[in-house]
Amino acid sequence: MPHPNNSTLSTLYDSDVFRMACRQYDLAAEMIDIPDEALERTKYPKRCLTVIFPIRRDDGVVEMYEGYRVQHHLSLGPTKGGLRFHQSVNIGEVAALAMWMSWKCALVGLPYGGAKGGVKVNPSSLSVHELEGLSRRYMQEMIPFVGTDTDVMAPDVGTNEQVMAWMMDTYSTHIGHSVPAIVTGKPLSIGGSEGRREATGRGTAYFAKSYLNEMGIELSDTTVVIQGFGNVGSEAALGMVEYGAKVIGIGDHTASFFKADGIDIGRALEYAAKNRVLEGFTEAELIPNDQLLELECTVLIPAALERVIDENNASRIKCQVLAEGANGPTTNAADRIIEERGDIEIIPDILCNSGGVVVSYFEWLQDLQSTYWTRGQVLKKLKEILERSRLSVEEERRRLNCSRRMAALTLGIGRVAEAKHARGIFP
Ligand code: GLU
């Protein structure tokens, strides 16, 4: 039983998405034997930093921006997780994303706690120069809070290799020498890893393929719909096409498209690289954004923001496999509806998109040891970890007779709780 004092904990983070992560935790914690004294300690984020900082726009006007970093737990090593630039970022969302990073890292066996950062900004409203200023100033504000042994950032929605390069440069300039291990997802030229950029999307495609194989569905008979055409969505699309599947639906926040005999992903990528968005793409049929997730397909891959499959559309999605490239795309109510339906295999986010943080871990290791792994080495080790994690989830699922999401969560949460319990309470 939670202590009465705990009922007021974490009101700071209160939001739909934080409540969703907490509810997932409560359900998973109930299924396993977490010692009482570790129950609340494992659940709530350890600490956070909020910063409000100025940026001078190109026209000379000074604007203020708000940013966050939430570190969920530090019991197993540094915290790890992405940095998001998006206009809807808030501290509750960042806290939920940090919790999911913790369960994800523990599930796949990385010596990390979870973290997440965010700045409330629409990055496409800024020039490249302004974006550089924002990235550098955010990192500058975070210097007392991060470190190669404390907290290591990476790309997330709205950030990329270039942003990571600016952040690495800002930190290194402050310290007085190059510190490549301060962030992952960097360009190869400054200590990035082979395979990192593709890892999240390709890992998602890899899991989709594994489950299709188990279900006896041929890749050549497989149709795929993907929401989100950033790094994760586009790499998942390329991965699925490489496996022989047909991507019949894609979309981003500006427009969605359908083509029954398969969209040319190479052409869509070229278009998005040139125009920054999919809007205006003419090589497939334009459909309303809210119809994308409801297209009939074999594999549905949400690869954008959280909570897009909810109680309103969960009964209408028409896929056999739901591969969660995004973090938290399916609400708890939608989970219940999908479970009752019983006709969809969910590959839960913390398993499905874990390829990204696994290769981030490889990047961090390479940087700390000033060494370099070949692409072949990276992909071989990545595959080993993904497959081992997948099999452990399947075993846990049989053991607890529960959903795949609950199996993934109980493994991740159980490992963090065990570590906290073993370390005890100081003083
Ligand atoms: N932002 C990614 C995620 O949500 C990657 C985090 C990382 O590589 O540290 O998993």
Side-chain angles (χ1 to χ4, degrees), residues 80-83 97 101 104 116 152-157 184 196 200 327 353-354 356-361:
K80 187 82 194 78
L83 167 65
L97 290 162
M101 282 308 302
K104 189 186 323 190
K116 204 69 148 201
V152 179
M153 298 192 199
D156 195 81
V157 175
T184 59
R196 173 61 187 88
T200 316
N327 292 309
N353 68 37
S354 62
V357 74
V358 170
V359 180
S360 273
Y361 169 61

Side-chain angles (χ1 to χ4, degrees), residues 24 67 107 133-134 139 188 212 227 244 248 277 287 315 326 387 390 426-427:
Q24 286 182 350
L107 169 63
L134 182 93
M139 176 48 108
L188 274 182
L212 289 168
Q227 184 203 42
I248 58 165
V277 291
I287 57 168
S315 58
E387 192 54 20
R390 190 179 82 81
F426 179 86

Side-chain angles (χ1 to χ4, degrees), residues 97-112:
L97 290 162
M99 285 169 79
W100 287 323
M101 282 308 302
S102 282
W103 320 141
K104 189 186 323 190
C105 290
L107 169 63
V108 297
L110 306 181
Y112 289 143

